Amino acid sequence: AQPSAPPPGRPGHVVAAAVLGFVFGAFGVIVTLGAVFLGAVAGGVDDDAPAGFDEFADAAAGVALVLGLLALTWTVLMIWGSVWALTGRSRVLLLVGGSIALFFTTLGFLGSLGSNSGGDVVVNLLLFLAALAIVVLLSLPPTAQFFAAHRARRGA
């Protein structure tokens, strides 16, 4: 039997994409906690509120909790995808999470163009570029070769 070849070195593209994935995952944790907190506060409005306000608060609580659950799902996808990318297991999760981030950061960037605040535009542009970098870096040939070599080593 031939000795197995050493695992291929992890390209910088993979490391950079995973680091950006962890950064987006950290933002996701903040958004998730904020949405759950807002949902809990809105759901805690008592029945002594003005007529119709308690129904509105309950609806807002439900929407905030659903958004929090979606943010949690995306956050797990980004963090788990980053870990899998760093270990050579798969780039798919991080690619999917990065694509979702790219979609929403594109909306945020385009929406900020009408803003009077240059800071909004810059922050949204940086988030857009970071999400774009995740997708592009995971699509480069050295990255594909890295994951193909790891798949071959696993016998998949």
Side-chain angles (χ1 to χ4, degrees):
Q2 296 180 351
S4 64
R10 188 179 310 119
H13 305 105
V14 173
V15 175
V19 167
L20 290 171
F22 284 127
V23 169
F24 273 104
F27 289 146
V29 168
I30 293 167
V31 169
T32 299
L33 291 175
V36 169
F37 176 76
L38 287 176
V41 168
V45 172
D46 59 8
D47 294 329
D48 294 335
F53 186 76
D54 54 341
E55 289 88 8
F56 173 77
D58 288 342
V63 169
L65 292 175
V66 167
L67 290 177
L69 182 61
L70 290 173
L72 175 64
T73 303
W74 175 76
T75 300
V76 169
L77 185 70
M78 292 300 287
I79 293 171
W80 194 4
S82 295
V83 169
W84 274 22
L86 285 175
T87 61
R89 172 113 176 130
S90 176
R91 64 182 168 169
V92 173
L93 291 177
L94 188 54
L95 197 53
V96 169
S99 298
I100 293 168
L102 184 59
F103 174 76
F104 284 105
T105 58
T106 301
L107 293 179
F109 174 65
L110 294 175
S112 70
L113 290 177
S115 169
N116 290 333
S117 169
D120 289 347
V121 175
V122 170
V123 168
N124 283 298
L125 177 62
L126 290 175
L127 291 172
F128 166 77
L129 291 174
L132 180 63
I134 291 172
V135 174
V136 170
L137 290 172
L138 291 176
S139 301
L140 294 174
T143 304
Q145 293 166 356
F146 170 74
F147 288 105
H150 275 273
R151 261 192 319 276
R153 287 182 49 117
R154 289 191 312 269

